[in-house]
PDB file of all heavy atoms in Angstrom:
ATOM      1  N   VAL D   8       7.308   1.630  19.193  1.00  0.00           N
ATOM      2  CA  VAL D   8       7.789   1.326  17.905  1.00  0.00           C
ATOM      3  C   VAL D   8       6.595   0.997  17.039  1.00  0.00           C
ATOM      4  O   VAL D   8       5.985  -0.015  17.227  1.00  0.00           O
ATOM      5  CB  VAL D   8       8.877   0.293  17.739  1.00  0.00           C
ATOM      6  CG1 VAL D   8       9.317   0.044  16.313  1.00  0.00           C
ATOM      7  CG2 VAL D   8      10.066   0.576  18.657  1.00  0.00           C
ATOM      8  N   LYS D  50       8.968 -10.465  13.312  1.00  0.00           N
ATOM      9  CA  LYS D  50       9.593 -11.749  13.155  1.00  0.00           C
ATOM     10  C   LYS D  50      10.347 -11.859  11.848  1.00  0.00           C
ATOM     11  O   LYS D  50      11.389 -12.653  11.622  1.00  0.00           O
ATOM     12  CB  LYS D  50       8.619 -12.896  13.314  1.00  0.00           C
ATOM     13  CG  LYS D  50       8.282 -13.314  14.756  1.00  0.00           C
ATOM     14  CD  LYS D  50       7.377 -14.529  14.790  1.00  0.00           C
ATOM     15  CE  LYS D  50       6.995 -14.947  16.110  1.00  0.00           C
ATOM     16  NZ  LYS D  50       6.046 -16.044  16.200  1.00  0.00           N
ATOM     17  N   VAL D  59      11.297 -11.754  23.759  1.00  0.00           N
ATOM     18  CA  VAL D  59       9.861 -11.316  23.647  1.00  0.00           C
ATOM     19  C   VAL D  59       9.292 -11.261  25.121  1.00  0.00           C
ATOM     20  O   VAL D  59       9.356 -12.127  25.833  1.00  0.00           O
ATOM     21  CB  VAL D  59       9.037 -12.208  22.755  1.00  0.00           C
ATOM     22  CG1 VAL D  59       7.567 -11.826  22.837  1.00  0.00           C
ATOM     23  CG2 VAL D  59       9.651 -12.160  21.424  1.00  0.00           C
ATOM     24  N   ASN D  63      -0.634  -9.138  28.115  1.00  0.00           N
ATOM     25  CA  ASN D  63      -2.021  -9.568  27.694  1.00  0.00           C
ATOM     26  C   ASN D  63      -2.944  -8.447  27.883  1.00  0.00           C
ATOM     27  O   ASN D  63      -2.971  -7.823  28.862  1.00  0.00           O
ATOM     28  CB  ASN D  63      -2.524 -10.793  28.563  1.00  0.00           C
ATOM     29  CG  ASN D  63      -1.615 -12.043  28.358  1.00  0.00           C
ATOM     30  OD1 ASN D  63      -1.450 -12.319  27.135  1.00  0.00           O
ATOM     31  ND2 ASN D  63      -1.219 -12.752  29.288  1.00  0.00           N
ATOM     32  N   SER D  91      17.433  -1.638  34.400  1.00  0.00           N
ATOM     33  CA  SER D  91      18.231  -1.105  33.394  1.00  0.00           C
ATOM     34  C   SER D  91      18.173  -1.862  32.018  1.00  0.00           C
ATOM     35  O   SER D  91      19.211  -2.053  31.268  1.00  0.00           O
ATOM     36  CB  SER D  91      19.792  -1.065  33.851  1.00  0.00           C
ATOM     37  OG  SER D  91      19.885  -0.207  34.884  1.00  0.00           O
ATOM     38  N   THR D  98       3.704  -1.822  18.078  1.00  0.00           N
ATOM     39  CA  THR D  98       2.259  -1.519  17.733  1.00  0.00           C
ATOM     40  C   THR D  98       2.196  -1.574  16.104  1.00  0.00           C
ATOM     41  O   THR D  98       2.988  -1.196  15.422  1.00  0.00           O
ATOM     42  CB  THR D  98       1.835  -0.141  18.281  1.00  0.00           C
ATOM     43  OG1 THR D  98       2.318   0.870  17.428  1.00  0.00           O
ATOM     44  CG2 THR D  98       2.194   0.003  19.665  1.00  0.00           C
ATOM     45  N   ASP D 101       1.112   3.293  13.674  1.00  0.00           N
ATOM     46  CA  ASP D 101       1.923   4.331  14.407  1.00  0.00           C
ATOM     47  C   ASP D 101       1.587   4.187  15.874  1.00  0.00           C
ATOM     48  O   ASP D 101       0.400   4.078  16.262  1.00  0.00           O
ATOM     49  CB  ASP D 101       1.553   5.683  13.866  1.00  0.00           C
ATOM     50  CG  ASP D 101       2.395   6.770  14.577  1.00  0.00           C
ATOM     51  OD1 ASP D 101       3.549   7.053  14.106  1.00  0.00           O
ATOM     52  OD2 ASP D 101       1.914   7.283  15.595  1.00  0.00           O
ATOM     53  N   PRO D 130       7.892   6.683  15.106  1.00  0.00           N
ATOM     54  CA  PRO D 130       6.610   6.698  14.340  1.00  0.00           C
ATOM     55  C   PRO D 130       6.659   5.568  13.276  1.00  0.00           C
ATOM     56  O   PRO D 130       7.750   5.047  12.862  1.00  0.00           O
ATOM     57  CB  PRO D 130       6.664   8.051  13.687  1.00  0.00           C
ATOM     58  CG  PRO D 130       8.128   8.500  13.634  1.00  0.00           C
ATOM     59  CD  PRO D 130       8.744   7.934  14.800  1.00  0.00           C
ATOM     60  N   GLY D 131       5.476   5.197  12.971  1.00  0.00           N
ATOM     61  CA  GLY D 131       5.360   4.034  11.930  1.00  0.00           C
ATOM     62  C   GLY D 131       4.278   4.523  10.808  1.00  0.00           C
ATOM     63  O   GLY D 131       3.689   5.520  11.020  1.00  0.00           O
ATOM     64  N   ALA D 137      -0.985   3.792   4.170  1.00  0.00           N
ATOM     65  CA  ALA D 137      -0.765   2.533   3.346  1.00  0.00           C
ATOM     66  C   ALA D 137      -1.926   2.246   2.361  1.00  0.00           C
ATOM     67  O   ALA D 137      -1.668   1.943   1.314  1.00  0.00           O
ATOM     68  CB  ALA D 137      -0.526   1.397   4.313  1.00  0.00           C
ATOM     69  N   ARG D 182     -17.801  -1.440  12.812  1.00  0.00           N
ATOM     70  CA  ARG D 182     -18.595  -0.888  13.936  1.00  0.00           C
ATOM     71  C   ARG D 182     -20.008  -0.373  13.558  1.00  0.00           C
ATOM     72  O   ARG D 182     -21.051  -0.609  14.133  1.00  0.00           O
ATOM     73  CB  ARG D 182     -17.851   0.150  14.680  1.00  0.00           C
ATOM     74  CG  ARG D 182     -16.708  -0.246  15.665  1.00  0.00           C
ATOM     75  CD  ARG D 182     -16.132   0.940  16.305  1.00  0.00           C
ATOM     76  NE  ARG D 182     -15.143   0.625  17.282  1.00  0.00           N
ATOM     77  CZ  ARG D 182     -14.504   1.479  18.081  1.00  0.00           C
ATOM     78  NH1 ARG D 182     -14.694   2.826  17.899  1.00  0.00           N
ATOM     79  NH2 ARG D 182     -13.567   1.085  18.956  1.00  0.00           N
ATOM     80  N   GLU D 211      -5.074  -9.276   2.453  1.00  0.00           N
ATOM     81  CA  GLU D 211      -5.433  -7.959   1.948  1.00  0.00           C
ATOM     82  C   GLU D 211      -6.587  -8.080   0.950  1.00  0.00           C
ATOM     83  O   GLU D 211      -6.629  -9.020   0.074  1.00  0.00           O
ATOM     84  CB  GLU D 211      -4.255  -7.359   1.206  1.00  0.00           C
ATOM     85  CG  GLU D 211      -4.632  -5.974   0.602  1.00  0.00           C
ATOM     86  CD  GLU D 211      -3.447  -5.313  -0.077  1.00  0.00           C
ATOM     87  OE1 GLU D 211      -2.673  -4.764   0.591  1.00  0.00           O
ATOM     88  OE2 GLU D 211      -3.239  -5.497  -1.283  1.00  0.00           O
ATOM     89  N   LEU D 230     -10.806  -0.143   6.571  1.00  0.00           N
ATOM     90  CA  LEU D 230     -11.051   1.264   6.509  1.00  0.00           C
ATOM     91  C   LEU D 230     -11.665   1.630   5.256  1.00  0.00           C
ATOM     92  O   LEU D 230     -11.449   0.942   4.240  1.00  0.00           O
ATOM     93  CB  LEU D 230      -9.845   2.139   7.007  1.00  0.00           C
ATOM     94  CG  LEU D 230      -8.641   2.257   6.102  1.00  0.00           C
ATOM     95  CD1 LEU D 230      -8.806   3.119   4.897  1.00  0.00           C
ATOM     96  CD2 LEU D 230      -7.476   2.671   6.934  1.00  0.00           C
TER      97      LEU D 230
END
Side-chain angles (χ1 to χ4, degrees):
V8 180
K50 279 181 180 179
V59 177
N63 294 316
S91 297
T98 74
D101 182 88
R182 283 181 173 180
E211 177 183 277
L230 65 78

